[in-house]
Amino acid sequence: MRANRLLMAIGLIVIGASCGSLPHSQSARRYVEIPEDDLTRSKFYLLDRREVQRELGLRTGQMTALADAFNTPYERIPGLGEWRAKYQGLPQEEKRRQKSQYMESRDTISSEWLESQLAEILSEKQKNRLDALLLQMKGPRAIVSIPGVTGRLGLTPEQSSKIQSIIRECHDDLAPFYQRYGHNMLQTSRRSQTMKESEKEQDALVVITTEILKSQDESILAVLTKAQGDQWHAMQGPLLRVSWPETAGFYVPFHSLEKASNQASVSPHY
């Protein structure tokens, strides 16, 4: 299966470089995603999209509150300023030793606070629908990456192990393409390339990684029983097509209050 995926990817370099549009999903599935495993920030990526705002019926006040929460500086997040000051006061050598622990603790404190803000800003019905859309956004990988999903589906240890193996294999396949994509994003273009050529290469890389991830999704779903597959689809709720800025790997949601509204008028129905 892995060899087939890689051969398919190589063939898609030619196809993707000449195609006029990138592949789209009929759901909220996002194939170009940075960071991949940050579930809390992924919710804000969803909430930044016009289709999700309409689906949830977010009011203007809610949009403003969401943008304010997401854009809150680290030093203003309760508990984080004190933790950062303590870390900055350490000797240089100790800071180097504790850097990874500091980063992990910083992200944990930040995520927990952002989750508390979502709980205050959104209604229970909005939160439930957002959780369902998060499953759509992450795809079948969410079965083992989002807490509680494995239990709700009743996966056996053997099924969970098989899915984890599929994910690891896919990660190995994707690594060189992600490395190349990230390099393109940072350097924009090589001297030997025109801007148009660089953009075409970037689009082709997105096509390749998307097809590999689609193959991963299919392989994971094949591990489920029919009853588990039906339950998985029910947990996602009605599919909502979301138009992601697919080539903007470093796109940041709620960049400003104006960005938060997406210049869209939404009326509450939740």
Side-chain angles (χ1 to χ4, degrees):
M1 180 176 67
R2 182 176 179 181
N4 289 338
R5 274 208 302 257
L6 289 174
L7 286 172
M8 173 187 67
I10 293 169
L12 281 169
I13 291 176
V14 177
I15 298 172
S18 60
C19 70
S21 60
L22 299 175
H24 291 276
S25 173
Q26 295 303 313
S27 70
R29 183 74 167 99
R30 189 178 185 206
Y31 294 103
V32 177
E33 194 171 356
I34 300 172
E36 187 176 78
D37 293 318
D38 191 328
L39 301 180
T40 300
R41 283 174 175 76
S42 291
K43 293 178 183 178
F44 279 89
Y45 275 83
L46 279 165
L47 291 165
D48 185 58
R49 306 316 298 161
R50 185 167 53 245
E51 300 93 339
V52 176
Q53 294 166 15
R54 288 173 175 162
E55 177 76 4
L56 270 60
L58 293 175
R59 301 183 298 275
T60 302
Q62 288 179 302
M63 294 300 306
T64 301
L66 288 167
D68 287 345
F70 190 79
N71 289 314
T72 298
Y74 277 129
E75 60 269 17
R76 287 177 48 198
I77 294 177
L80 202 52
E82 297 88 335
W83 177 251
R84 186 181 182 209
K86 180 180 177 181
Y87 172 77
Q88 292 296 340
L90 295 173
Q92 202 63 33
E93 185 61 32
E94 189 64 20
K95 283 170 69 174
R96 279 196 292 270
R97 280 199 296 266
Q98 294 193 25
K99 184 175 181 180
S100 61
Q101 180 187 349
Y102 165 73
M103 298 291 283
E104 184 178 340
S105 298
R106 184 197 69 179
D107 292 344
T108 298
I109 294 171
S110 175
S111 293
E112 288 176 352
W113 182 79
L114 285 172
E115 283 288 350
S116 73
Q117 297 305 294
L118 289 175
E120 290 182 12
I121 296 167
L122 303 177
S123 70
E124 194 65 30
K125 194 170 184 180
Q126 287 172 328
K127 286 186 291 183
N128 290 338
R129 181 56 174 150
L130 181 62
D131 287 341
L133 292 174
L134 182 65
L135 296 180
Q136 292 185 33
M137 177 187 186
K138 297 296 182 180
R141 188 178 189 278
I143 292 171
V144 292
S145 65
I146 294 183
V149 177
T150 296
R152 290 175 66 184
L153 292 178
L155 257 64
T156 65
E158 292 76 17
Q159 285 177 308
S160 296
S161 177
K162 188 174 290 187
I163 291 173
Q164 293 285 11
S165 178
I166 291 169
I167 292 170
R168 285 194 298 270
E169 185 179 300
C170 182
H171 180 270
D172 291 342
D173 290 347
L174 287 168
F177 299 113
Y178 277 161
Q179 184 178 20
R180 180 64 199 163
Y181 179 75
H183 183 66
N184 272 20
M185 289 289 294
L186 292 173
Q187 112 174 331
T188 305
S189 177
R190 297 192 300 272
R191 284 185 182 179
S192 59
Q193 284 182 314
T194 65
M195 181 62 73
K196 187 174 182 179
E197 288 171 339
S198 178
E199 289 173 354
K200 286 181 71 175
E201 180 183 3
Q202 184 172 295
D203 287 352
L205 288 168
V206 171
V207 173
I208 293 167
T209 56
T210 296
E211 291 302 320
I212 293 175
L213 286 169
K214 283 182 177 180
S215 178
Q216 174 193 255
D217 290 354
E218 292 172 0
S219 297
I220 292 174
L221 291 178
V223 175
L224 306 181
T225 65
K226 184 181 185 306
Q228 289 170 334
D230 292 343
Q231 174 67 3
W232 163 248
H233 291 301
M235 288 166 61
Q236 296 178 72
L239 297 183
L240 178 70
R241 179 168 178 167
V242 173
S243 299
W244 296 103
E246 291 175 304
T247 57
F250 299 119
Y251 137 74
V252 177
F254 296 106
H255 188 62
S256 67
L257 291 179
E258 181 180 355
K259 177 71 164 58
S261 68
N262 270 327
Q263 298 179 345
S265 174
V266 293
S267 57
H269 53 259
Y270 269 68

